[in-house]
Structures are given as C-alpha cells and as structure tokens.
C-alpha cells in the first residue's frame, strides 16, 4: 500500500513500526489524531496474511478509536496497535516488555489497552516498562473486567433509542432479541430482565444460551432465526456485519441497539434501515462503556465516577438522533458528524488560542 498517501487522505499523524529480533516482536502503532488528547486504543495480536494487511488494520482501527473516543466525550485521541503473530503460541515476556519500551518512547502520545488476542496479563507485562497502559490487573489499581461496564453502557444507550422509537425509555414488557450471550451480553440481559423485558436469545455456544434461559427465563432460538423473530428491539452482541442484504428483510424490530462492533456490513445498509424507520444506535457510540471505563484509570480509577460517565451514553445517543433529524441523515452518519464536530471545535479553539498568544507577543 502507498502508506503516506493513505495517511494523508485520512489525516493520520504517525505510524511507528516496532521490531525486536530476540523476542520476535513485529508491531505497528498507528496514531490517527491527538486533537482531543493522547491517543488511546488497544493492542491486537493477530496472524495477518501479509504485512500490508496488518498496516491497513492498524490504520483502520486507529481512526475508529478517534471517532469512538470523541463521541464518548473523552479528552483522548485515537490510536491502535497490531502485533503480527499467533496469540496462542508466539507470546513471550520479552515481546511485551520490548513493546512497552516502544510505548514509553512515545512519551505519552499513545496509551494502550487490551484487545483481540491480548490479555490483562499481557498488559501487566507492558506495565513493567511503561505507565502508558490501561486495563491492567486490579491489584495495580485498574478497573478489572470491562464487560459489566460495557453492558451497562449498552443498556442505557438502548433506553435512549427506545425512547425515540416508543416515546418512553421504559423497557418493561418490551421483547428484546439478543444475538450472542457472551460476557457483555449476559450482563446486558441482567439489566433487561430486571427491568421486566422479555428476552429472546441465541448463541453458537449452547451452554451460554442455557444459562440465559435458566437465569432470565429467556426464550432460545436457532442462530439463523434470531433476525426474523417478533420483537421490539434487536440487540446484536456477537458478530460484525450482521446488518446486511440477507438479514434486513427479516427484521421486525423498531430499534437496533447492541454491543457488537461494525454491525453494518456496508454504509448503504445503515441508510436502508434508516429509510425503514428503524432507530439504529451506532455501535461505537453505544458500546463505548469499556473505553470510558479504562480511560478513568488515567485519573486514578474510581468506579462510581466511571459509571457516571458511562451513563452519559444515554445523552450521546440522544445527541446522535438530534443530529440525524437536524441534518436529515442516518444515525450512523450523525455519529460521525458528532465526533467530527467536537474535534473541529477543539481545533478552532486551539487556533484561536495560538492567534491570541501571537497577538499579545506582537504588542510587546
């Protein structure tokens, strides 16, 4: 790929390539934008088909974090790391300590966290070399497992979307179809069950489904049937790209609000469900509870303060809907616009500050 052309087209600030022969480390740190603050984004370890694929993934994910952090109201920019390797067999202590030293060398421009293929233990090893890491073990003052907090954010965001669709955010009596019942979705179901919602669930793991049936009196359906069930709200909490040409004609829900990343297979699918009158809570806005939670560690973690910030996802979904109506655009585009407007306001503020400073100096 033509790296500099790609960076210029999408306004990336920096890409750092890290190599350590002894440990086998091959990592790419992509920093997209630091207008709002240092770049925060996790470290993904994956077996990429090519180095070009790894670069593209790092860049794509870094830009996504810029928008996610901006939309969440965090004073943080967007960045991401990918480590090329098999997380099941290529990890070693030297690798993550070497990586930690590279992060330290960036002097706070980039802060990492756990992601696909990495663990809390890996973050603890990185922490041996740098303070610029979140999601470490609670013993070090960290927030611990982010799943319950992510679930809480999805829950409050779902209530905001329901208010737009039904005129009330009361979920009692609403039928909610939950696709995937992993750690985040299980905790989401706790909140929904407590509110008196009727749950329909599916998952590729039968034990996860049975747990939801036992604990929340949920109705279980086959993984291929979840899209067409009679429900008020569809909550995708597993795979990405599940809003597509095959699934959209089956949907009967008035709201789509779930924890899964990259729910729209293509942008046109977001436009299509908007035309159908479905209220869509954009994924990176509603599932931001985890990043809001780990970001609080940068101030010395306080769980009550973090949860209070996560509750702001309700207002963020309301703001997205407001922009969607104002500009007559689908909510997925409104979410991008909300993030871009916040970043641009900060850029203007900084430019004004610099101009004022230059004006004062010129008068002396």
């Amino acid at each position: 790929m033509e790296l500099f052309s790609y960076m210029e087209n999408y306004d990336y600030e920096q890409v750092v390539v890290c190599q350590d022969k002894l440990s086998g480390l091959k990592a790419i740190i992509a920093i997209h934008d630091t207008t709002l603050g240092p770049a925060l984004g996790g470290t993904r370890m994956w077996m990429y088909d090519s180095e070009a694929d790894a670069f593209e993934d790092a860049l794509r994910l870094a830009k996504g974090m810029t928008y996610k952090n901006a939309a969440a109201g965090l004073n943080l920019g967007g960045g991401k790391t990918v480590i090329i390797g098999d997380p099941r067999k290529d990890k070693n202590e030297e690798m993550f300590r070497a990586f930690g030293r590279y992060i330290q060398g960036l002097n706070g421009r980039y802060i990492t966290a756990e992601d696909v293929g990495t663990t809390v233990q890996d973050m603890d090893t990185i922490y041996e070399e740098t303070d610029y890491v979140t999601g470490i073990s609670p013993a070090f003052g960290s927030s611990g497992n982010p799943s319950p907090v992510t679930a809480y954010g999805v829950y409050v965001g779902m209530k905001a979307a329901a208010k737009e669709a039904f005129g009330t955010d009361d979920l009692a009596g609403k039928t909610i179809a939950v696709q995937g019942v992993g750690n985040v979705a299980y905790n989401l179901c706790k909140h929904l069950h407590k509110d008196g919602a009727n749950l329909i669930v599916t998952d590729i793991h039968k034990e996860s489904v049975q747990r939801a049936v036992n604990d929340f009196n949920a109705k279980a359906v086959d993984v291929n049937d979840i899209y067409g069930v009679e429900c008020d709200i569809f909550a995708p909490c597993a795979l990405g790209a599940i809003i597509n040409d095959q699934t959209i004609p089956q949907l009967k829900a008035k709201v789509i609000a779930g924890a899964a990343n990259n729910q729209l297979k293509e942008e046109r699918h977001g436009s299509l469900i908007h035309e159908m009158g479905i209220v869509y809570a954009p994924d990176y806005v509603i599932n931001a509870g985890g990043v809001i939670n780990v970001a609080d560690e940068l101030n010395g973690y306080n769980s009550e303060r973090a949860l209070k910030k996560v509750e702001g996802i309700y207002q963020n979904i309301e703001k997205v809907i407001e922009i969607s109506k104002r500009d007559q655009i689908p909510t997925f585009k409104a979410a991008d616009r909300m993030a871009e407007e916040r970043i641009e306001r900060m850029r203007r503020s900084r430019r004004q500050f610099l101009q004022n400073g230059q004006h004062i100096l010129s008068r002396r």
Side-chain angles (χ1 to χ4, degrees):
M1 64 186 300
E2 295 182 355
L3 182 58
F4 281 107
S5 294
Y6 190 103
M7 290 178 67
E8 184 177 0
N9 286 340
Y10 296 99
D11 203 20
Y12 286 82
E13 294 180 7
Q14 186 176 10
V15 175
V16 180
V17 180
C18 313
Q19 182 275 144
D20 182 72
K21 186 175 181 179
L22 178 65
S23 65
L25 174 70
K26 294 180 180 179
I28 301 157
I29 303 172
I31 298 174
H32 177 248
D33 189 287
T34 58
T35 301
L36 297 175
L40 172 66
T43 293
R44 176 170 297 192
M45 188 170 185
W46 196 254
M47 284 290 292
Y48 291 94
D49 291 335
S50 67
E51 292 178 0
D53 286 348
F55 268 101
E56 187 172 358
D57 202 30
L59 291 165
R60 177 182 61 84
L61 293 167
K63 184 181 178 184
M65 288 307 302
T66 294
Y67 281 74
K68 187 168 192 170
N69 293 337
L74 299 173
N75 295 319
L76 293 164
K80 204 79 172 186
T81 294
V82 299
I83 295 176
I84 301 173
D86 187 339
R88 295 166 297 181
K89 62 181 183 181
D90 292 337
K91 289 182 180 181
N92 56 70
E93 178 185 2
E94 294 78 12
M95 171 182 289
F96 287 100
R97 293 195 68 153
F99 177 53
R101 292 192 290 273
Y102 278 110
I103 294 175
Q104 184 66 21
L106 291 171
N107 200 31
R109 276 180 54 78
Y110 170 67
I111 303 162
T112 199
E114 182 182 350
D115 202 279
V116 175
T118 60
T119 65
V120 171
Q121 289 70 35
D122 299 329
M123 299 305 109
D124 287 349
T125 305
I126 293 170
Y127 185 57
E128 294 289 330
E129 300 288 345
T130 182
D131 291 330
Y132 302 119
V133 55
T134 60
I136 53 180
S137 296
F140 298 117
S142 170
S143 56
N145 180 9
S147 296
V149 186
T150 302
Y152 183 61
V154 174
Y155 164 69
V156 298
M158 182 184 291
K159 286 173 70 69
K163 184 179 179 181
E164 174 63 19
F166 308 116
T168 176
D169 65 5
D170 186 359
L171 299 178
K174 294 290 186 291
T175 298
I176 303 172
V178 183
Q179 182 190 39
V181 204
N183 290 332
V184 172
Y186 179 83
N187 283 281
L188 172 62
C189 287
K190 279 185 182 179
H191 294 293
L192 301 177
H193 179 66
K194 184 178 180 181
D195 273 8
N198 304 309
L199 299 176
I200 301 173
V201 300
T202 195
D203 197 293
I204 59 173
H205 301 293
K206 292 183 178 179
E207 62 275 14
S208 298
V209 172
Q210 192 59 50
R211 182 170 66 153
V213 170
N214 294 341
D215 294 353
F216 310 124
N217 196 30
K219 176 184 175 182
V221 298
D222 185 78
V223 291
N224 296 315
D225 295 337
I226 193 71
Y227 306 105
V229 299
E230 293 285 349
C231 65
D232 299 296
I233 300 171
F234 174 50
C237 297
L239 302 174
I242 51 81
I243 307 299
N244 56 54
D245 290 335
Q246 287 70 45
T247 61
I248 288 175
Q250 302 178 55
L251 295 174
K252 296 180 174 64
K254 297 294 184 183
V255 173
I256 298 175
N261 288 310
N262 305 314
Q263 294 170 21
L264 303 175
K265 185 172 183 179
E266 299 175 27
E267 287 194 354
R268 65 183 179 87
H269 295 124
S271 298
L272 183 55
I273 58 174
H274 177 72
E275 292 167 5
M276 293 168 63
I278 296 174
V279 178
Y280 172 57
D283 43 35
Y284 72 78
V285 180
I286 197 171
N287 69 13
V291 70
I292 294 171
N293 193 51
V294 297
D296 194 76
E297 296 178 21
L298 303 175
N299 302 310
Y301 184 67
N302 180 288
S303 60
E304 290 184 8
R305 180 178 62 205
L307 284 176
K308 190 69 176 176
K309 292 177 183 176
V310 171
E311 287 174 359
I313 290 175
Y314 189 106
Q315 287 74 36
N316 291 342
I317 294 296
E318 286 188 317
K319 179 66 173 176
V320 166
I321 293 169
E322 178 187 324
I323 294 171
S324 173
K325 292 178 177 178
R326 181 195 74 190
D327 298 347
Q328 297 184 332
I329 55 176
T331 53
F332 78 94
K333 290 185 177 179
D336 288 354
R337 193 159 294 180
M338 180 174 74
E340 290 162 356
E341 287 177 354
R342 181 167 182 248
I343 293 168
E344 184 55 34
R345 286 196 301 271
M346 180 57 70
R347 284 177 177 157
R348 287 199 302 266
S349 176
R350 286 186 176 181
R351 284 196 296 266
Q352 187 63 48
F353 177 79
L354 291 172
Q355 289 170 0
N356 290 342
Q358 291 170 354
H359 178 66
I360 292 169
L361 287 173
S362 67
R363 293 176 60 188
R364 289 182 176 177

